[in-house]
């Protein structure tokens, strides 16, 4: 039997970088002593799971404060990012203590199904109720049941080979 060695982290990162992924902003809300607040992060590990029932998923780091906020709130929203939203990715990937106020980073609206923030521009939005979480390695699979969806014909932002790029639709 021929045993191959497992790839190291750098090699695996290089190989996985060949796979094109979409980029989205995921938001939730949480309570503080001074009232409800919103939080959002950029995610590229998002996918559709099922149409019946309507389920979607993403992976979050197991030690994530954002994951705990989703578990507490029980609801979250996804906004697919358009090609013009590159600066928003930078804001959403900045550590929370250095991040600008979320409401100042983009044109957000309150989602009618969850109260979580959604982007008013971009390829689409989904509002979700937390369906289940499952620890997997150093991440947690988060599955949501879709409560509402809005689609728009906008060019998406994608992540490929370690960088963000846009694609154009063939028309």
């Amino acid at each position: 039997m021929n045993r191959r060695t497992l790839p190291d982290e750098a090699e695996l990162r290089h190989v996985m970088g060949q796979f094109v992924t979409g980029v989205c902003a995921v938001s939730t809300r949480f309570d503080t002593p001074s009232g409800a607040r919103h939080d959002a992060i950029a995610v590229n590990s998002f996918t559709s799971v099922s149409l019946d029932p309507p389920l979607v998923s993403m992976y979050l780091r197991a030690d994530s404060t954002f994951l705990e906020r989703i578990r507490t709130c029980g609801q979250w929203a996804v906004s697919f990012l358009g090609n013009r939203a590159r600066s928003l990715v930078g804001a959403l990937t900045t550590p929370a203590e250095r991040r600008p106020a979320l409401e100042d980073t983009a044109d957000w609206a309150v989602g009618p199904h969850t109260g979580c923030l959604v982007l008013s521009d971009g390829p689409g939005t989904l509002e979700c109720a937390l369906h289940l979480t499952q620890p997997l390695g150093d991440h947690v699979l988060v599955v949501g049941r879709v409560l509402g969806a809005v689609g728009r014909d906008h060019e998406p932002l994608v992540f490929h080979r370690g960088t963000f790029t846009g694609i154009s639709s063939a028309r």
Side-chain angles (χ1 to χ4, degrees), residues 76-158:
W76 46 285
V78 178
S79 296
F80 304 141
L81 297 185
N83 194 25
R84 296 182 309 248
R86 293 176 195 212
S87 63
L88 178 58
V89 174
L92 297 180
T93 56
T94 299
E97 62 276 3
R98 295 192 336 251
R99 188 181 308 158
L102 185 60
E103 293 78 6
D104 296 338
T105 60
D107 186 17
W108 297 97
V110 175
H113 301 282
T114 61
C116 298
L117 296 180
V118 294
L119 291 171
S120 24
D121 192 18
T125 60
L126 301 169
E127 292 184 79
C128 304
L130 184 60
H131 183 70
L132 69 84
T133 60
Q134 175 65 49
L136 295 168
D138 60 359
H139 281 67
V140 173
L141 169 66
V142 178
V143 178
R145 183 179 186 101
V146 177
L147 304 174
V150 174
R152 299 176 199 93
D153 190 20
H154 292 261
E155 305 303 330
L157 180 65
V158 298

Side-chain angles (χ1 to χ4, degrees), residues 155-166:
E155 305 303 330
L157 180 65
V158 298
F159 191 69
H160 182 239
R161 294 183 177 162
T163 191
F164 297 99
T165 188

